[in-house]
Amino acid sequence: MYQDPEYDKYAFDQEADVDCESRLDTCKAVCCKLPFALSKQDVEEGIIRWEFGRPYLIAHGDDGYCVHLDRKTYKCTVRDHRTVPCRGFDCRNNKTWHVWDDYEKKILNPELEKRIDRDNIKIYSSCVSNKS
Ligand code: SF4
Ligand code: SF4
């Protein structure tokens, strides 16, 4: 599975304008639990890790987070090389995931984490033995 359409991530100019820094205490980078496919550029570059059992989905740890997330700070450890979905994800009015019940008041959707976990279990369950 590859991203389609594919964009050059280093020329991608539609980065979401979200002030993550001020929200990490609340959201705990929940978007870094979402499943998505890498691009050929990501795979060929060899920095972003993918699931061996589910090529080429982003690799998740047993806690459901992307392996590249620093678990203490909730910051991305490969920020300069992060994927196009990471760059473009806009949690403000996201119709697919409905991240926030109220974005301005920083109220997360209480069902979101459960929903993401359910989706990840479905997608990643057969490749648990590949997780670090
Ligand atoms: S994009 Fe949204 S959910 Fe993801 S880290 Fe930033 S504020 Fe949190
Ligand atoms: S690559 Fe970085 S921004 Fe993207 S999901 Fe992983 S930790 Fe989050």
Side-chain angles (χ1 to χ4, degrees):
M1 194 186 298
Y2 277 131
Q3 269 165 43
D4 185 20
E6 172 154 343
Y7 302 93
D8 175 357
K9 61 185 176 183
Y10 297 113
F12 187 69
D13 62 359
Q14 295 166 55
E15 291 204 18
D17 184 21
V18 178
D19 179 10
C20 298
E21 191 72 38
S22 70
R23 293 179 171 266
L24 287 175
D25 281 351
T26 307
C27 71
K28 301 191 180 349
V30 67
C31 56
C32 295
K33 284 189 159 190
L34 296 176
F36 59 87
L38 304 188
S39 67
K40 288 180 192 163
Q41 181 186 41
D42 294 322
V43 174
E44 285 169 358
E45 189 179 47
I47 295 171
I48 306 294
R49 286 171 52 194
W50 45 271
E51 287 289 352
F52 290 112
R54 285 282 184 275
Y56 292 95
L57 291 178
I58 183 84
H60 282 181
D62 289 337
D63 59 2
Y65 276 115
C66 168
V67 295
H68 298 294
L69 187 76
D70 182 314
R71 270 47 173 184
K72 288 195 181 127
T73 62
Y74 296 115
K75 300 242 176 97
C76 178
T77 59
V78 289
R79 186 171 168 79
D80 290 347
H81 306 285
R82 70 199 194 286
T83 72
V84 166
C86 305
R87 291 165 197 257
F89 184 75
D90 192 335
C91 64
R92 285 171 295 191
N93 291 303
N94 193 280
K95 292 197 172 48
T96 306
W97 294 100
H98 184 70
V99 176
W100 301 95
D101 269 2
D102 189 320
Y103 180 79
E104 298 306 328
K105 292 183 181 159
K106 298 186 182 174
I107 301 172
L108 267 184
N109 169 6
E111 295 303 313
L112 176 65
E113 192 117 15
K114 273 187 246 160
R115 195 187 143 201
I116 294 174
D117 285 346
R118 272 200 309 270
D119 274 29
N120 279 330
I121 285 167
K122 265 194 259 164
I123 294 169
Y124 290 93
S125 58
S126 64
C127 49
V128 167
S129 58
N130 290 325
K131 289 176 179 168
S132 58

